[in-house]
Amino acid sequence: MTGKLRLGVNIDHVATIRNARGGPHPDPLRAAQAAAAAGADGITVHLRDDSRHIRDEGLVVLSQGLTLPINLEMAATDEMLAIALRHRPHAVCLVPERREERTTEGGLDVARQHNLVSPIVRKLADAGARVSLFIEPDPIQLAVAEAMGAAVVELHTGAYCEAVQAGHADEAARHLDRLARAAQLGAARGLEIHAGHGITFDSVKPIAAIPELAELNIGHFLIGEAIFVGLDAAIRLMRALMDEARAETAA
Ligand code: PXP
């Protein structure tokens, strides 16, 4: 049976706007509280090495002011590991990171970086975090993620969402099929399956309809849309579209 699909709201770009002026406004904690009131099931933040959005001290403020679980996205480095072990978030998602990139451009190549990623997964899991690996929807990456003992994989939806946005229906259908197959394969391997990156109102329903998915993480589009309709309305509509997709799958 298809369960409820959780929505993790990524508030990084509230911090991006705040950092543009260096003052306290807009406050990421206030945004996280608004997201909780609008129906978010968790708050996601990406702690980047270059501190371009949420910073170490911001995490303390968030964890003290929120009852929702926090999902910390971070690179698989010893420095980030030390920060995660200090904050003990509910969940950690390991992502690839390059300083010069505008956003997380692809999945983590866990097959190639096995020796680097594997000990970090183990240490985080030993500390009680739910560990997720942000990967491309690829059978080899799924097999390695399972072998590493990750509880969760998050499938990178960027290529699908870009094809939808560009109006390339055939390409979008191919990417969606790849995501659906990976979700099925991953679930058969006992992994919890999440998805995220680039999701908008136009791309969310076909993704949300994939029955094996347990959680979507959505950020940039929601914060952008909040400029026009407010954060509450943007999150409520995204939530409603996710629920509609699930109800249609179940019907
Ligand atoms: N999931 C992961 C692992 C990410 O790195 C990001 C971007 O930080 C997202 C989800 C959210 O992507 P977007 O901001 O495009 O919705």
Side-chain angles (χ1 to χ4, degrees):
M1 212 190 76
T2 312
K4 185 186 181 230
L5 183 58
R6 295 193 302 269
L7 171 61
V9 173
N10 182 318
I11 57 161
D12 285 343
H13 295 296
V14 176
T16 310
I17 299 170
R18 180 200 59 187
N19 297 349
R21 284 293 172 95
H25 182 79
D27 177 11
L29 174 59
R30 187 172 159 202
Q33 287 165 337
D41 301 290
I43 298 297
T44 296
V45 288
H46 187 168
L47 194 68
R48 276 185 176 265
D49 171 51
D50 63 8
S51 305
R52 72 173 78 156
H53 15 71
I54 287 284
R55 298 174 179 143
D56 198 354
E57 63 279 7
L59 260 184
V60 180
V61 174
L62 273 184
S63 51
Q64 286 172 353
L66 273 184
T67 48
L68 284 187
I70 294 178
N71 174 32
L72 179 64
E73 293 174 0
M74 58 175 232
T77 64
D78 287 336
E79 189 198 345
M80 288 297 151
L81 174 67
I83 294 175
L85 293 176
R86 221 170 34 247
H87 290 289
R88 298 187 161 270
H90 165 79
V92 175
C93 180
L94 296 177
V95 301
E97 194 171 297
R98 289 191 302 119
R99 270 203 169 217
E100 64 276 19
E101 71 188 355
R102 271 185 293 178
T103 180
T104 316
E105 285 163 354
L108 185 64
D109 189 346
V110 289
R112 225 177 251 237
Q113 299 190 43
H114 180 277
N115 293 348
L116 183 99
V117 177
S118 189
I120 295 187
V121 170
R122 202 180 51 249
K123 284 176 194 158
L124 287 167
D126 286 349
R130 183 197 72 185
V131 185
S132 166
L133 300 174
F134 189 42
I135 59 170
E136 293 296 320
D138 173 83
I140 294 173
Q141 302 293 336
L142 285 162
V144 176
E146 183 200 0
M148 274 184 194
V152 179
V153 289
E154 181 163 331
L155 303 176
H156 198 301
T157 52
Y160 167 70
C161 295
E162 272 171 31
V164 170
Q165 203 176 335
H168 297 154
D170 290 353
E171 198 189 327
R174 269 196 308 279
H175 285 302
L176 187 64
D177 186 55
R178 216 171 149 229
L179 286 164
R181 283 167 194 259
Q184 233 172 38
L185 254 175
R189 289 185 173 279
L191 294 159
E192 183 174 309
I193 315 293
H194 299 179
H197 210 276
I199 297 175
T200 67
F201 293 151
D202 292 332
S203 50
V204 70
K205 281 185 75 175
I207 297 172
I210 298 173
E212 290 82 8
L213 289 180
E215 181 175 309
L216 299 185
N217 283 297
I218 309 178
H220 184 265
F221 176 79
L222 285 174
I223 305 305
E225 197 58 17
I227 294 170
F228 304 106
V229 300
L231 192 55
D232 187 79
I235 293 171
R236 282 182 198 278
L237 179 54
M238 189 63 86
R239 174 82 265 167
L241 292 170
M242 288 163 59
D243 292 342
E244 254 175 56
R246 278 292 156 115
E248 286 163 15
T249 312

